[in-house]
Amino acid sequence: MIFSSVKLQKHTMHKIWLIIQREYLTRVRKKSFIIMTLLTPLLLATFMILPGLLIAMSGEEETVMVLDESGLFEGKLENKKDLKFVHLAGSLEQAKTVYQETDNTALLYIPKISINDPKGITVYGKKNTSLQTQIRLEEALEKEIENQRFIASGLDRETLDKIEANVKLNTINLSQEGEKDNNAIITSAAGVVAAVIIYFFIFLYGVQIMRGVIEEKTNRIVEVIISSVKPFQLMMGKIMGIAAVALTQFLLWIILSFVAITAVSAAFGIDAAPTPMEQYQAGKVAAEGESIANQDEETPEEAAAKSDEFANTIQDVTKSFANLPLLLIFGCFVFYFLGGYLLYGSIFGAIGAAVDNETDTQQFMMPITIPLVISFIMSYSVVLKNPDGAVAFWMSIIPFTSPIVMMVRVPFGVPAWELLLSMGLLILGFIFTTWLAARIYRVGILMYGKKINYKELSKWLFYRV
């Protein structure tokens, strides 16, 4: 009896394995798979390189003509590397005429104003003034007005700069393994990136299962296959086969993206788009009005201090990243990646079996989409703010939301019992949805020409086939 049961299980697994092989080989040989696998890394490399290229191309020098009737800004507006000021004299109409005959960026008109009521300042341009130019002019004027107000009140900017305090917090995680540096931005980014990948892959490959089932059902190919294997074996083989295709394509995208970005950067001699940290540093420098041109005016001590600060920031980020539980994050990512895909994939397969064409799937897609979208939104709005709160806990335990929410929480540190409970429930959830989907699949896969609703699906669960 036991021998017969083991033999039956082996026979079942062998048939599922054959279906997996068929699904995998059929899909990886398709032109669409090969084209998408090769094209996606190139597009990714282009999107990463293109901003850097555009920034380099847009770095042209701008010249702004200044007509200052107040006399407050005569010789006070500092020239930058890419922004020059040319002062004019005469009336506004004369200045407009001169400006029209030049290729300068804009004409800045400053009427007779008071530093306590700087109204009426106008920028004239041949075209609409860019946001960057407007902001830089406003900052330059504000800085000079502030300087003159400081002087009028008996203070100067140097004194104020010395008074200003710049506090930078060091965040330390007191774990059982000892004290570790951490960075909230790095920790959040690690969880969000993993969650976003899982979110898109569930939709991308779940829909592939559904379309594959509909296609085979429409072509009546399934009638031939179903004569050799059971509907459950066919469904499981299809889900597992497409999961293998997803992992293959994901790994190829990682490898090819690295190669493509490196090759494109070397070919065009440009760097990739600045990282968020680099953008933050650049924005901070720009906001303080310290362009590259002004670096020559810095004292060696100031330049060294800034260099040390930047180096310390990079070091902190690197140390914080290294202190993340990378092995745990990677292991959880693979588990929730497969767990979430299998849970939703079986439902997508059942929907594909229940309908005759893709148009009829719309009414069944909403219940699948809502948990994923809600978990994605809540991850940003609630979980990142309080990763140990009640909402984060329950959404990381419920199988339909845990693949995304738990991945956001893992880099922050999750108690082992919560992680095990979430994984256990996800496995049970997958078994339940697979059983549910198999009951629908076995009836729907051979059902044609009938409009299906939720009431009809509930009846299929109790059919004896």
Side-chain angles (χ1 to χ4, degrees):
M1 186 69 179
I2 296 174
F3 177 76
S4 176
S5 177
V6 172
K7 188 176 180 181
L8 180 62
Q9 287 182 0
K10 285 185 177 179
H11 184 66
T12 302
M13 292 303 297
H14 177 68
K15 286 191 173 181
I16 293 177
W17 175 245
L18 290 177
I19 299 295
I20 292 173
Q21 283 183 311
R22 173 184 173 275
E23 284 295 328
Y24 183 82
L25 294 175
T26 302
R27 292 181 180 276
V28 298
R29 288 171 179 168
K30 283 185 175 179
K31 288 183 180 178
S32 58
F33 176 86
I34 297 172
I35 292 173
M36 285 302 297
T37 303
L38 296 176
L39 194 59
T40 301
L42 289 176
L43 291 174
L44 181 63
T46 303
F47 283 124
M48 294 189 71
I49 298 298
L50 191 61
L53 184 62
L54 293 177
I55 289 172
M57 291 174 62
S58 62
E60 299 175 355
E61 180 179 309
E62 293 184 335
T63 301
V64 175
M65 305 176 80
V66 181
L67 178 60
D68 181 16
E69 293 182 348
S70 68
L72 297 172
F73 301 93
E74 184 68 32
K76 301 292 180 61
L77 298 174
E78 296 179 357
N79 290 327
K80 310 291 183 183
K81 181 180 179 182
D82 53 352
L83 179 62
K84 307 293 183 187
F85 293 100
V86 176
H87 290 269
L88 299 176
S91 65
L92 177 59
E93 294 305 320
Q94 291 173 330
K96 288 180 181 178
T97 303
V98 174
Y99 167 66
Q100 290 286 2
E101 297 173 353
T102 67
D103 296 327
N104 293 333
T105 306
L107 169 63
L108 175 64
Y109 171 62
I110 306 172
K112 293 181 180 178
I113 59 172
S114 164
I115 59 173
N116 296 319
D117 188 24
K119 294 181 179 178
I121 301 176
T122 307
V123 177
Y124 295 93
K126 299 186 180 80
K127 298 179 291 185
N128 291 336
T129 306
S130 69
L131 180 61
Q132 181 183 4
T133 302
Q134 181 177 339
I135 291 175
R136 297 186 71 181
L137 291 177
E138 287 176 348
E139 287 178 349
L141 293 171
E142 287 171 357
K143 182 180 177 183
E144 182 53 33
I145 290 174
E146 287 174 0
N147 282 336
Q148 296 197 28
R149 286 179 179 177
F150 290 147
I151 295 171
S153 61
L155 295 174
D156 57 66
R157 180 167 287 276
E158 290 184 1
T159 304
L160 185 66
D161 291 341
K162 291 178 182 177
I163 294 174
E164 286 183 351
N166 186 13
V167 178
K168 182 182 179 184
L169 295 178
N170 295 321
T171 53
I172 306 293
N173 183 13
L174 294 174
S175 63
Q176 293 180 348
E177 293 80 14
E179 297 184 1
K180 292 182 179 179
D181 293 343
N182 67 70
N183 184 305
I185 297 175
I186 300 299
T187 306
S188 301
V192 169
V193 168
V196 168
I197 293 173
I198 292 175
Y199 176 83
F200 281 107
F201 268 74
I202 287 175
F203 270 119
L204 182 64
Y205 292 98
V207 170
Q208 282 196 24
I209 295 175
M210 187 179 69
R211 288 177 176 168
V213 173
I214 294 174
E215 184 180 352
E216 289 181 350
K217 187 178 176 181
T218 305
N219 298 333
R220 303 296 176 98
I221 296 174
V222 71
E223 295 178 10
V224 179
I225 301 175
I226 216 73
S227 62
S228 303
V229 299
K230 293 181 179 178
F232 175 77
Q233 295 169 344
L234 176 60
M235 187 187 75
M236 284 305 301
K238 186 177 287 293
I239 293 172
M240 300 297 289
I242 294 178
V245 174
L247 283 176
T248 302
Q249 196 166 44
F250 182 63
L251 292 174
L252 286 174
W253 277 344
I254 292 176
I255 297 170
L256 294 176
S257 296
F258 176 76
V259 174
I261 292 171
T262 305
V264 171
S265 299
F268 289 94
I270 55 176
D271 297 328
T275 63
M277 180 57 67
E278 290 170 342
Q279 292 180 22
Y280 169 75
Q281 291 291 343
K284 187 177 178 182
V285 170
E288 292 172 352
E290 296 170 352
S291 67
I292 298 174
N294 286 342
Q295 290 180 1
D296 295 338
E297 300 174 3
E298 293 176 344
T299 63
E301 292 77 11
E302 290 174 338
K306 287 182 179 178
S307 178
D308 290 343
E309 183 182 356
F310 182 73
N312 290 333
T313 302
I314 298 299
Q315 187 178 10
D316 291 343
V317 170
T318 306
K319 189 184 295 183
S320 299
F321 183 78
N323 285 336
L324 288 175
L326 297 177
L327 283 178
L328 177 65
I329 293 173
F330 179 75
C332 288
F333 173 77
V334 173
F335 179 84
Y336 283 103
F337 178 90
L338 292 175
Y341 164 78
L342 293 174
L343 185 139
Y344 281 97
S346 58
I347 301 176
F348 277 111
I351 292 175
V355 299
D356 290 336
N357 54 67
E358 205 166 327
T359 307
D360 296 337
T361 63
Q362 300 302 318
Q363 61 174 321
F364 302 112
M365 289 297 288
M366 186 63 74
I368 303 177
T369 307
I370 288 177
L372 285 171
V373 173
I374 288 178
S375 58
F376 192 72
I377 295 173
M378 296 300 284
S379 295
Y380 278 100
S381 58
V382 178
V383 179
L384 282 178
K385 292 180 180 176
N386 187 6
D388 297 320
V391 174
F393 170 78
W394 286 109
M395 292 193 73
S396 61
I397 295 299
I398 298 171
F400 289 98
T401 54
S402 63
I404 293 174
V405 176
M406 183 56 89
M407 277 315 304
V408 176
R409 290 187 62 200
V410 166
F412 289 94
V414 179
W417 71 269
E418 289 187 20
L419 201 56
L420 292 174
L421 177 62
S422 172
M423 290 180 170
L425 289 177
L426 183 58
I427 293 172
L428 291 177
F430 161 62
I431 294 173
F432 173 72
T433 56
T434 303
W435 173 83
L436 199 69
R439 304 288 291 184
I440 297 172
Y441 193 88
R442 63 187 179 135
V443 178
I445 199 68
L446 297 175
M447 186 79 72
Y448 296 97
K450 188 174 183 178
K451 289 295 181 184
I452 307 301
N453 52 36
Y454 287 104
K455 185 178 179 181
E456 187 67 24
L457 287 180
S458 63
K459 290 180 181 178
W460 290 4
L461 297 177
F462 304 100
Y463 277 1
R464 291 188 176 182
V465 179

